[in-house]
Amino acid sequence: MEIGKLGGSLTAREILEVIQQDLERVEQAITLESIASVDAVTAIGSYLQAGGGKRVRPILVLLAARLLGDITDGAIQMAAVVEMIHTATLVHDDVIDIAKTRRGRPSSNAVWGNHICVLAGDWLYMQAFQVALRERNFHVLDVLISLTQMMVEGELIQLERIGKLDVSEADYMELIDRKTASLFSACARLGSVMGGADENVEAKLGEFAWNLGIAFQLVDDVLDFTAREHVLGKPTGSDLREGKVTLPLIYALNDGTPEERAMIATVMRDGKYEDVSFSKILGFIEKHNGFERARERAQAFTDKARAIISTFPDSSYQRALFGITDLITERDH
Ligand code: IPE
Ligand code: IPE
Ligand code: MG
Ligand code: MG
């Protein structure tokens, strides 16, 4: 199959065309593997699966594997594993963040309550490892376990930082590395291992996806302020309301006056936009070009990701990987 321009990127529709069948197999695997002997756990898994989600992480596994060779059952299983780990982190994250909405619907904690969701998240993590274990590949387990610890540490660091105004750009970058880029990187590495890659190629694709993951989270943190709520599927302005200072705000705060800093502290303290309106916060960030600067940072990481992919020979899968970088930078949710 040869679609898309030589040396160009595929569009979203074309990417889907290239991996639709693989992705369907992944969905089947997730459904099959998410059946627990306790109904609530199965229900939470299928609720989140049916709720949508972009499936960026399994797509990365599949495309990395396809870039190198034919798809194996192992690659399909690994794509299911990373989405299950992602789902587990979302279930726990929504408990931690006291979130009400996820993927445009009430979040699982809002439906089932915290107690059940903590345990369901644990179950999903363990099930993901159970599936991964079937590969009988220590390297795969090593990647997955290190990754999960990185992510949990990231959530802990973020918790410690809640409500703090003095977050540096370096602090922020370390957090998004753990929270998001580490999983993206693991996806490409696992896909490449399943595709038969040697260490060098695995590291190269891992680096590609790491850069992409950083860009993804930077864009996510801009969208938290600028997206339309019904498109995003979760309330806008949540990060600040939850006491999280992200890059657009870090840039603005660095140049802000003491009065402007006090304004941000007020929203964090209140946990709502009441004394200070959301549009006032947007105005403050815009005045200091916070969104523009954060987007430029994202673009720099996307460019690095693209440079890595351009070292692979042209194929529809290589173009699909280019296409993913476009989609991530230009996405609206
Ligand atoms: C949400 O990830 C968590 C973050 C890292 C921001 P996604 O934006 O990929 O969530 P879904 O899977 O598409 O819902
Ligand atoms: C999402 O983190 C969960 C992880 C990446 C571990 P956030 O709290 O920043 O993301 P949303 O806004 O809930 O999706
Ligand atoms: Mg959250
Ligand atoms: Mg969180």
Side-chain angles (χ1 to χ4, degrees), residues 211 214-216 218-219 293-303 329:
N211 281 286
I214 295 282
F216 181 91
L218 281 163
V219 170
R293 287 156 74 190
R295 280 200 179 274
E296 277 166 16
R297 285 290 279 152
Q299 190 59 52
F301 286 97
T302 312
D303 290 345
T329 331

Side-chain angles (χ1 to χ4, degrees), residues 318-333:
Q318 188 225 24
R319 286 175 227 162
L321 284 165
F322 274 132
I324 295 282
T325 67
D326 291 334
L327 289 182
I328 279 177
T329 331
E330 289 153 21
R331 74 200 170 99
D332 59 1
H333 72 289

Side-chain angles (χ1 to χ4, degrees), residues 172-200:
Y172 169 83
M173 292 307 289
E174 194 213 333
L175 188 70
I176 67 172
D177 166 17
R178 288 174 175 280
K179 241 176 68 167
T180 310
S182 58
L183 178 52
F184 273 58
S185 168
C187 291
R189 287 174 63 186
L190 293 172
S192 63
V193 169
M194 293 298 123
D198 64 26
E199 262 173 50
N200 283 339

Side-chain angles (χ1 to χ4, degrees), residues 199-327:
E199 262 173 50
N200 283 339
V201 171
E202 181 193 337
K204 210 156 101 172
L205 280 170
E207 202 190 329
F208 151 76
W210 184 86
N211 281 286
L212 193 65
I214 295 282
F216 181 91
Q217 190 59 50
L218 281 163
V219 170
D220 207 77
D221 292 340
V222 171
L223 288 174
D224 184 78
F225 288 105
T226 62
R228 282 174 302 157
E229 203 147 300
H230 71 279
V231 179
L232 195 61
K234 48 191 183 189
T236 44
S238 302
D239 287 340
L240 177 56
R241 213 180 326 99
E242 290 170 4
K244 297 174 193 161
V245 174
T246 57
L247 198 59
L249 195 54
I250 290 173
Y251 285 147
L253 282 169
N254 284 345
D255 300 345
T257 62
E259 291 74 32
E260 286 170 328
R261 293 174 69 84
M263 181 176 86
I264 299 300
T266 301
V267 178
M268 283 190 173
R269 188 198 56 216
D270 295 350
K272 55 186 171 201
Y273 300 95
E274 202 170 66
D275 288 350
V276 182
S277 70
F278 185 48
S279 62
K280 203 159 173 202
I281 302 293
L282 290 180
F284 165 59
I285 300 176
E286 259 155 25
K287 184 177 121 192
H288 297 289
N289 296 321
F291 299 127
E292 205 182 298
R293 287 156 74 190
R295 280 200 179 274
E296 277 166 16
R297 285 290 279 152
Q299 190 59 52
F301 286 97
T302 312
D303 290 345
K304 274 189 222 155
R306 293 179 71 91
I308 296 171
I309 288 305
S310 67
T311 64
F312 287 89
D314 177 67
S315 71
S316 50
Y317 300 108
Q318 188 225 24
R319 286 175 227 162
L321 284 165
F322 274 132
I324 295 282
T325 67
D326 291 334
L327 289 182

